[in-house]
Structure formats: structure tokens, C-alpha cells
Amino acid sequence: PEHGIAADIGCDGGRWSRYLIENGYSVVCTDIDEKSLALCQERLPESVCVLTSPDATSFPFRDGQFDLLLCIGVVEVVLADWFPEEVRRVLRPGGQLVASIPNRNSWRSLLAQTVRAQKQWAPHYALSYTDFRGSMIEHGFSLRQEIGCRWLPVRRNSNSAVVPFLAWMEKYLGFSRLTKYSPWVIVTARKDR
């Protein structure tokens, strides 16, 4: 079934875009890396791929173009001052945002700010999830689902066999509900106005 039009911001090689296409969306993929975008286009010829600039302060889309906007792991975009207004602009009424947000109010943020080897990650934690949440509500969004994650010390790209167990443990212990202090939060927000 056709679900509408989705934008995958920072699509990389198209992992999430493939999932969207398999679930009935027409997908527009964007990235700042030409090679990643070419790989995405090769893997998903039915998608539309758009090269963007790391200096962009807006999305290269028309007003009200999308039913869904996906922004997973693209910290520089999610934390940008212009992000909430641009998401509001490009989504249709009732459109959904799915994004991952690093949280300044977490142990990972503290580690990134204090441990010399981790200082390169400190800018990723420039905003608290509470501030992000407030900004989205202020821009006319209702938060539909908020899931805290990355509590345990495993890298995002880890292929360790213990990752599924650790993810289960986070959920079992209720860490996923502690979004105010969670290292990362996955959020689904709906454009209400």
C-alpha cells in the first residue's frame, strides 16, 4: 500500500530508505556525501537522491511536500537552530517526524566533556532533550513516542553479539522511559498546526 512521500535526511547508503520503500513510501534521500548518495541511488533506483551541503540552513524541499521526515544519526542537522521550523515547513499537516537526538543531560555527555579522548563528541551533546522537546512543541508538534536509548557503553556501530541482550536489558530495567536523562532519545512527533 502507498503510505505517502518520505524524506530521509542523511541517508548514507540507504539503510533506512530501503525500509521506508519496503513499507510503501516514495522516498527522497539526501546526504552531504556524494559517494554515499551514489551508493544509495545504486541500491534504491526508485528513490530520488539529492546532494546537499553541510552549510545548508534549510531543506531543499517545497513547503508541505512530505508525510514523513526521517533524521536518524544526523546530529548536526537535528541540533541546528533552524531544524524545528524547517521540519514544520516541509511536512504536511499531520505529517510525522522520526529523529534521534543526543541528550546533554546524560552520562555520555558528561563523559564527552571530561575525558580527553571523547572531547570530539562534546558538540553532539550541545542540547538537552528537554530543550529539543520544548522547541518542537512550540513549533506546533505533539510528541507521540519518546524512547530513551544508548544507556549502556556500546558503540553505535557495534556488531557485538551482546548488543541485543544489552538492548533488552535497557528496556527491561525501564531505562527507555527515562528520556530526560537518556543519552539518546528516539522521538516521533506529529505536525498538528
Side-chain angles (χ1 to χ4, degrees):
E2 184 65 36
H3 282 93
I5 303 172
D8 184 357
I9 308 299
C11 66
D12 198 33
R15 179 175 123 193
W16 293 109
S17 301
R18 177 183 306 280
Y19 176 81
L20 292 172
I21 289 168
E22 288 171 353
N23 284 278
Y25 284 94
S26 298
V27 181
V28 177
C29 307
T30 68
D31 207 294
I32 61 171
D33 182 72
E34 202 169 339
K35 289 180 183 177
S36 294
L37 202 61
L39 178 61
C40 181
Q41 186 70 77
E42 181 182 316
R43 289 177 177 169
L44 305 169
E46 64 273 43
S47 67
V48 174
C49 292
V50 178
L51 184 66
T52 60
S53 163
D55 302 322
T57 57
S58 64
F59 294 129
F61 308 130
R62 296 186 317 274
D63 293 0
Q65 186 174 348
F66 296 102
D67 300 291
L68 175 70
L69 189 125
L70 184 70
C71 194
I72 302 293
V74 192
V75 176
E76 296 80 2
V77 173
V78 162
L79 297 182
D81 291 341
W82 52 265
F83 182 77
E85 181 58 37
E86 276 298 287
V87 173
R88 189 171 108 22
R89 182 183 67 78
V90 302
L91 283 177
R92 295 177 178 149
Q96 304 275 332
L97 165 70
V98 178
S100 62
I101 298 94
N103 185 7
R104 183 180 64 214
N105 295 339
S106 69
W107 73 266
R108 283 187 185 263
S109 171
L110 182 62
L111 179 68
Q113 293 172 41
T114 57
V115 178
R116 184 182 177 122
Q118 298 292 323
K119 285 211 186 275
Q120 66 179 349
W121 299 110
H124 284 82
Y125 295 99
L127 187 68
S128 73
Y129 178 67
T130 303
D131 291 341
F132 176 86
R133 187 179 198 282
S135 180
M136 294 306 292
I137 291 169
E138 187 179 298
H139 281 84
F141 286 84
S142 57
L143 287 293
R144 305 305 232 183
Q145 190 171 25
E146 302 163 280
I147 302 170
C149 58
R150 299 204 55 212
W151 282 88
L152 301 173
V154 177
R155 291 185 181 270
R156 183 171 64 110
N157 58 353
S158 175
N159 288 328
S160 171
V162 300
V163 169
F165 171 74
L166 294 175
W168 172 84
M169 198 165 92
E170 280 186 9
K171 185 175 180 181
Y172 178 78
L173 294 173
F175 289 172
S176 62
R177 293 189 302 271
L178 302 175
T179 56
K180 188 173 183 179
Y181 302 107
S182 184
W184 282 69
V185 180
I186 306 297
V187 65
T188 303
R190 181 180 186 273
K191 178 182 171 181
D192 292 329
R193 55 180 170 84

